[in-house]
Amino acid sequence: AAGLERSSAGMEGAAVTDWSLALWTLSAVLLPVLITVWCSFQRSRRQLLIRDIFRKSKHDWHYTDLFGQPSYCCVCAQHILHGAFCGCCGLRVSERCLKKADQRFQCKEIVTRGAGAARGSMSHHWVRGNVPLCSCCAVCKQQCGSQPKLCDYRCAWCQYTVHDDCMVDCLKTEECTFGEFRDLIIPPYYLATINQMRKDKRISYEKVVPYGREHWMPVIVLANTRSGNNMGETLLGEFKMLLNPVQVFDLSKIAPAKALQLCTLLPCNAVRVLVCGGDGTVGWVLDAIDEMKIKGQEQSIPQVAILPLGTGNDLSNTLGWGAGYAGEVPVEQILRNVMEADGIKLDRWKVQVTNKGYYNLRKPKVFTMNNYFSIGPDALMALNFHAHREKTPSLFSSRIINKAVYFFYGTKDCLVQECKDLNKKVELELDGERIELPNLEGIIVLNIGYWGGGCRLWEGMGDEPYPLARHDDGLLEVVGVHGSFHCAQIQVKLANPVRLGQAHTVRLILKSSKMPMQVDGEPWAQGPCTVTITHKTRALMLYHSGEQTDDDASSLSE
């Protein structure tokens, strides 16, 4: 009996031990899962609250995982590594202080309301802390922001910085002059005055010039955040900091035609537009400007400058704005370049493609050309590139990768030669005169000096006499190439193109087969057709002489 009792007690103890082990094992498994679920729930809830604040706020809040410089919360003054910042006024705040900051601090006013609009002036908009590195005090001329804490002030309009000790009551109420870029900024009180004039049905806007200045040239910034190296998002914030946010537009959210209606509220022939994007974005904006002409808004037509963010950027290169922007030039210098740029005209051409045998059934395709038209190997490279990018757009976010893909398809065509014997498939007419073609694989019709991402195709090696090419003379330059390898030789100045001539009108007849064609980098495969290129209009552009080469200078001096 005693043995049975000991046996049953042992079994009960083992059972308890097993249940205890099972309980501890279950707790060890479930506890991390529950903690993870709880943390995920809290993070999702926090993100929803942040998005709700962002959506309702008058600030242009953005969240960042790491600030680019030592930063301090504008509410609690604590050092922060991550948090939210306003892209317009420059406030920086920790995540837990975001709601307080949104309620306590005002953002830059787009339009002045109340007495400020009647005065035609406004006070400084001081923001405490996180002043730009190496900035100097406007009062004592010593460096600001040098202490490791929330200190010193910056005006969100004129960008003046002042020490805490130098900030006096008179500065807080002093009239803001808008600083270095006063000639480019649209003041909030100007827009308030214009709104009142529109209500009174008065349209003499040129009489309302801020500060009584004679050389006011307000700038409108149009940025394509999807162009080339994806710098558009960063540039939008930097331009909003320096200018009135109402002057800065994201072309992924608003069309150029709508953004350019701001020009109609500004003095005639005074507006400058800075297009941040590739050549395709520039063409999009120029098409919108042509629509303004059709609407009878010729007096509001702006002059166009370019900040090259695309892959090729040949139009930007031709007009002196460089072959590509990667952040090496400060935004302040870009605005100075826009102010100093000279006006120039750019020919724009109508490209009409009429399919053979369908004259009465299909409407001809019509394109507008700013840069060049081509048929042959370079159009084939562009067609293959675009087909690849349509399948996997996420891979094509870098200018270097894009050029590497172009190089790959160019090398492939050197071996395959898909466009050989082009001279047997096409007829070419320049100003109505038939041109006898040598053995070619491609024909390129140029309006500007640069082609293929920085090559001066018409000049070639520069060792032969040729009439100079211009982008405002109403003439097109027509050249032929022997293939992709010949194109590569021309780009490194080891060969000359086959110069076929210059003309006011170009007519090309594709007699048989299907060939790749492109207009300004937009390619397609085309069957038998007639291509007619005629002059359409002229665009008002801005030329930056600081980036010009010797070839550019000689071309402009003619």
Side-chain angles (χ1 to χ4, degrees):
L4 289 172
E5 287 179 1
R6 284 196 299 270
S7 176
S8 62
M11 291 178 63
E12 288 177 1
V16 170
T17 303
D18 290 345
W19 278 107
S20 177
L21 181 61
L23 183 63
W24 280 107
T25 304
L26 186 64
S27 299
V29 172
L30 287 180
L31 187 61
V33 173
L34 291 173
I35 292 174
T36 302
V37 171
W38 183 81
C39 290
S40 298
F41 171 75
Q42 291 296 324
R43 189 183 302 112
S44 300
R45 183 170 172 270
R46 192 166 60 247
Q47 289 175 348
L48 285 173
L49 290 173
I50 290 173
R51 280 201 293 266
D52 188 57
I53 294 172
F54 283 10
R55 181 173 53 84
K56 295 178 180 178
S57 177
K58 292 184 179 179
H59 287 276
D60 183 27
W61 291 117
H62 299 274
Y63 190 84
T64 180
D65 291 323
L66 183 65
F67 287 108
Q69 68 179 70
S71 301
Y72 300 87
C73 176
C74 63
V75 176
C76 65
Q78 296 298 311
H79 180 263
I80 51 177
L81 294 175
H82 59 86
F85 66 95
C86 177
C88 294
C89 66
L91 281 175
R92 298 187 183 190
V93 61
S94 64
E95 196 174 295
R96 66 177 179 272
C97 298
L98 177 60
K99 189 173 183 179
K100 290 182 181 178
D102 191 62
Q103 295 171 349
R104 185 182 301 179
F105 301 106
Q106 289 186 342
C107 195
K108 292 166 74 171
E109 274 190 308
I110 292 176
V111 180
T112 304
R113 293 174 177 83
R119 286 199 315 268
S121 62
M122 61 185 295
S123 302
H124 290 286
H125 183 109
W126 294 111
V127 177
R128 187 158 188 258
N130 304 306
V131 299
L133 299 175
C134 301
S135 56
C136 293
C137 177
V139 177
C140 68
K141 309 304 179 185
Q142 299 298 313
Q143 184 175 348
C144 284
S146 56
Q147 301 182 53
K149 63 178 183 179
L150 187 74
C151 62
D152 304 337
Y153 291 85
R154 174 186 58 84
C155 176
W157 286 106
C158 63
Q159 310 304 320
Y160 286 175
T161 53
V162 178
H163 286 124
D164 288 332
D165 297 336
C166 298
M167 176 61 74
V168 292
D169 292 338
C170 62
L171 279 175
K172 293 180 179 179
T173 58
E174 183 182 62
E175 180 182 331
C176 182
T177 62
F178 293 93
E180 179 183 2
F181 303 114
R182 62 178 66 90
D183 286 341
L184 299 179
I185 294 173
I186 302 175
Y189 58 78
Y190 172 86
L191 293 174
T193 305
I194 294 301
N195 284 340
Q196 187 59 46
M197 291 179 67
R198 294 181 74 186
K199 291 178 182 177
D200 299 339
K201 297 184 179 180
R202 291 179 291 154
I203 56 173
S204 301
Y205 301 149
E206 63 274 4
K207 296 179 181 179
V208 188
V209 179
Y211 351 98
R213 297 181 64 85
E214 297 180 0
H215 303 293
W216 187 45
M217 52 179 80
V219 66
I220 297 174
V221 179
L222 306 178
N224 187 350
T225 55
R226 298 173 182 171
S227 285
N229 52 5
N230 294 327
M231 286 197 63
E233 196 73 43
T234 304
L235 288 168
L236 279 172
E238 294 186 17
F239 282 119
K240 284 180 180 179
M241 288 276 287
L242 296 173
L243 305 171
N244 189 332
V246 80
Q247 299 173 242
V248 184
F249 297 91
D250 182 354
L251 293 182
S252 66
K253 298 178 181 177
I254 185 170
K258 191 172 182 180
L260 289 171
Q261 287 306 299
L262 181 57
C263 297
T264 62
L265 304 180
L266 298 167
C268 299
N269 305 316
V271 184
R272 298 190 168 198
V273 169
L274 175 62
V275 181
C276 306
D279 288 347
T281 305
V282 178
W284 189 18
V285 172
L286 293 180
D287 288 340
I289 292 175
D290 284 346
E291 291 178 17
M292 293 176 66
K293 295 177 183 178
I294 295 172
K295 294 177 181 177
Q297 298 173 343
E298 290 90 350
Q299 296 299 316
S300 302
I301 298 300
Q303 294 176 302
V304 180
I306 306 172
L307 183 62
L309 302 183
T311 302
N313 304 310
D314 290 308
L315 180 57
S316 169
N317 217 352
T318 299
L319 298 178
W321 296 100
Y325 179 76
E328 66 279 2
V329 180
V331 172
E332 293 85 354
Q333 185 58 47
I334 294 169
L335 292 177
R336 294 185 196 107
N337 293 342
V338 173
M339 283 196 291
E340 297 166 1
D342 301 316
I344 198 170
K345 292 183 178 180
L346 172 73
D347 289 324
R348 305 191 76 214
W349 300 82
K350 175 184 175 183
V351 180
Q352 181 171 301
V353 182
T354 306
N355 292 310
K356 190 175 181 181
Y358 295 97
Y359 293 106
N360 299 321
L361 299 178
R362 293 185 183 178
K363 290 184 178 179
K365 292 185 285 189
V366 178
F367 305 89
T368 300
M369 183 185 84
N370 302 311
N371 299 1
Y372 37 72
F373 163 87
S374 70
I375 176 173
D378 68 320
L380 179 62
M381 283 187 280
L383 185 62
N384 288 330
F385 173 84
H386 277 257
H388 201 155
R389 185 165 65 174
E390 296 254 331
K391 293 178 182 177
T392 53
S394 59
L395 296 178
F396 295 84
S397 58
S398 166
R399 189 181 292 127
I400 295 175
I401 293 175
N402 294 351
K403 290 189 176 183
V405 174
Y406 265 104
F407 175 77
F408 168 76
Y409 283 119
T411 306
K412 176 185 174 184
D413 186 64
C414 288
L415 303 174
V416 179
Q417 293 184 322
E418 294 184 34
C419 303
K420 63 181 180 180
D421 297 327
L422 178 70
N423 52 299
K424 299 177 182 178
K425 302 173 185 176
V426 303
E427 294 179 3
L428 177 66
E429 295 180 5
L430 302 183
D431 289 336
E433 182 180 346
R434 174 81 176 273
I435 303 298
E436 290 296 328
L437 297 175
N439 186 22
L440 297 173
E441 285 191 29
I443 295 174
I444 303 166
V445 182
L446 299 162
N447 179 47
I448 60 175
Y450 285 92
W451 163 88
C455 168
R456 296 192 68 89
L457 182 60
W458 178 252
E459 284 83 350
M461 296 171 61
D463 60 342
E464 298 177 357
Y466 52 84
L468 289 174
R470 292 178 59 94
H471 47 263
D472 60 353
D473 58 357
L475 282 173
L476 294 166
E477 287 72 43
V478 186
V479 302
V481 292
H482 297 302
S484 296
F485 186 69
H486 186 207
C487 290
Q489 287 180 308
I490 296 171
Q491 287 194 325
V492 294
K493 294 196 173 185
L494 291 178
N496 287 314
V498 180
R499 298 187 186 94
L500 300 174
Q502 292 177 300
H504 297 89
T505 302
V506 175
R507 189 164 178 259
L508 187 145
I509 303 170
L510 178 59
K511 297 182 289 186
S512 61
S513 77
K514 182 176 282 191
M515 294 292 292
M517 294 184 181
Q518 70 153 337
V519 174
D520 291 351
E522 297 299 325
W524 74 98
Q526 178 64 48
C529 67
T530 300
V531 180
T532 306
I533 306 176
T534 54
H535 193 270
K536 180 181 178 182
T537 184
R538 281 184 172 180
L540 300 177
M541 308 298 291
L542 289 170
Y543 183 86
H544 175 43
S545 56
E547 295 288 336
Q548 71 178 3
T549 64
D550 294 338
D551 292 331
D552 296 328
S554 62
S555 177
L556 282 169
S557 63
E558 280 293 311

